[in-house]
Amino acid sequence: MDVAVAVYDGVFDSGLSAILDVLDAANAMRGELPQPPPAWQVTTVGFRRRVRTGAGHLVATAPVAEAEHTDLLIVPALAERRPDALIAHVSGPDSAAVRSLVGDARGRGAPVASACTGTFLLAEAGVLDGREATTSWWLAPVFRQRYPAVTIDETRMVTTSDGVTTAGAAFGHVDLALAVVRMSSPALADLVARYLVVDERPSQSAYTIPSALAQSDPVVAAFERWARLHLEEPVDVGAAARSLGVSERTLQRTVRRVLGTSPVRFVQDLRVEQATHLLRTTDMSLDSIARKVGYEHANTLRILLRERTGSTAGALRGR
């Protein structure tokens, strides 16, 4: 497989190196399998011979024209954490060439892939419309608002939808590269992960900070504060709306628009966060913790913890 990795000014250094390192490791370890997959021919391409990364390093690149016939185009993330600056960059003239490269690749049917803030570049190029995608969990509200035609699921670590693969937050580039390897050989992907000591991370849920997501909108932020004060009580969305001075329908719609979920499910996320904190920092029994976060029975909390974090209550306490 011929893979082109696009390098552009401001590219996230660790994202670029993670992709190159994982694919290089896969090539080096192919021979350890009885039936090795074909090698990956990886070329870093750019719009100039030397490109400056987000950390200021210079990377030598091949002409971008070499990406015209590759089997896969990978676009690492942009080294930009500020939402406003990120949107300005990916939609502005500085990224026009990258957007065109992505659009051309999809236009001829070549798969494309990206992670973290790079998902914004793909969305801005229009190749994610009508598809499922993921991105950094903390950028999901901004992404959801700007690209309503994309079904964003920030709980996922990697998604593939109709030829476009996206991965989660910054070090999700490792997961993205392993997903590329897995498309050709699951056995080789597992081998590389073992050698590099990379744990399987199918979800970002365990890393999400609900309060950080809530700050994207004043109504949602106020609802988050209200919910934390009433965490031990049954969820009453109507009472919350009255306390905030909005209609219940407005609260439901605002939470859905910003977070892509319901108020009840968001409260569940807050309960999981608090329960996890109590498991790690106190000796309280699971029954006591369950009551502390609004559940009459510990088994209800036990099931929710496994569903949202992928871990048991015992494993969380052990950490």
Side-chain angles (χ1 to χ4, degrees):
M1 176 182 286
D2 288 331
V3 179
V5 180
V7 186
Y8 55 94
D9 285 333
V11 70
F12 180 55
D13 294 63
S14 294
L16 171 62
S17 60
I19 291 167
L20 298 178
D21 285 343
V22 170
L23 292 180
D24 182 66
N27 277 335
M29 297 176 194
R30 289 171 52 249
E32 298 188 28
L33 298 181
Q35 296 179 318
W40 287 266
Q41 304 296 328
V42 182
T43 305
T44 54
V45 300
F47 303 97
R48 294 193 309 277
R49 288 193 301 173
R50 291 161 68 85
V51 177
R52 190 172 296 278
T53 68
H57 298 110
L58 292 176
V59 177
T61 64
V64 75
E66 293 194 20
E68 292 178 359
H69 304 290
T70 53
D71 302 306
L72 171 67
L73 172 67
I74 302 179
V75 183
L78 174 71
E80 178 57 74
R81 298 184 72 256
R82 299 166 298 169
D84 291 346
L86 172 62
I87 295 298
H89 186 96
V90 300
S91 63
D94 289 344
S95 68
V98 182
R99 297 196 304 268
S100 178
L101 179 66
V102 171
D104 290 345
R106 287 305 295 148
R108 59 181 174 81
V112 298
S114 190
C116 191
T117 55
T119 307
F120 283 72
L121 277 168
L122 269 54
E124 203 68 38
V127 304
L128 286 176
D129 289 354
R131 295 178 172 86
E132 297 179 354
T134 189
T135 189
S136 299
W137 63 263
W138 52 276
L139 286 171
V142 178
F143 189 101
R144 189 173 283 112
Q145 181 175 1
R146 183 165 180 83
Y147 310 111
V150 184
T151 302
I152 190 74
D153 182 357
E154 67 273 24
T155 67
R156 302 279 296 277
M157 188 62 77
V158 178
T159 68
T160 298
S161 180
D162 192 23
V164 183
T165 301
T166 54
F171 291 103
H173 286 83
V174 173
D175 304 86
L176 178 68
L178 284 172
V180 170
V181 176
R182 189 167 286 112
M183 291 174 190
S184 294
S185 174
L188 182 56
D190 292 341
L191 183 65
V192 172
R194 289 173 68 89
Y195 270 101
L196 299 183
V197 195
V198 179
D199 293 329
E200 184 178 4
R201 302 178 296 174
S203 174
Q204 296 187 76
S205 297
Y207 306 92
T208 302
I209 303 173
S211 57
L213 295 175
Q215 300 313 307
S216 301
D217 182 272
V219 171
V220 180
F223 175 61
E224 186 244 343
R225 291 191 294 271
W226 180 92
R228 288 190 183 278
L229 291 174
H230 298 83
L231 215 55
E232 298 181 28
E233 306 167 13
V235 182
D236 188 337
V237 179
R242 289 190 295 274
S243 176
L244 302 182
V246 298
S247 69
E248 183 174 345
R249 183 182 181 188
T250 295
L251 179 57
Q252 293 271 11
R253 293 177 64 180
T254 303
V255 172
R256 174 69 63 180
R257 173 177 55 80
V258 174
L259 303 180
T261 191
S262 67
V264 171
R265 190 172 175 87
F266 179 60
V267 172
Q268 289 176 341
D269 290 339
L270 295 175
R271 287 172 166 170
V272 166
E273 179 188 60
Q274 179 65 6
T276 300
H277 172 71
L278 292 174
L279 282 167
R280 291 175 173 172
T281 60
T282 75
D283 293 325
M284 293 173 62
S285 69
L286 189 61
D287 287 303
S288 298
I289 292 174
R291 289 191 293 273
K292 194 80 172 172
V293 298
Y295 295 112
E296 184 177 350
H297 302 292
N299 196 50
T300 303
L301 177 60
R302 188 178 286 110
I303 293 170
L304 190 63
L305 286 169
R306 183 182 289 276
E307 174 191 315
R308 298 297 173 84
T309 69
S311 297
T312 64
L316 291 169
R317 170 152 277 165
R319 293 178 188 172

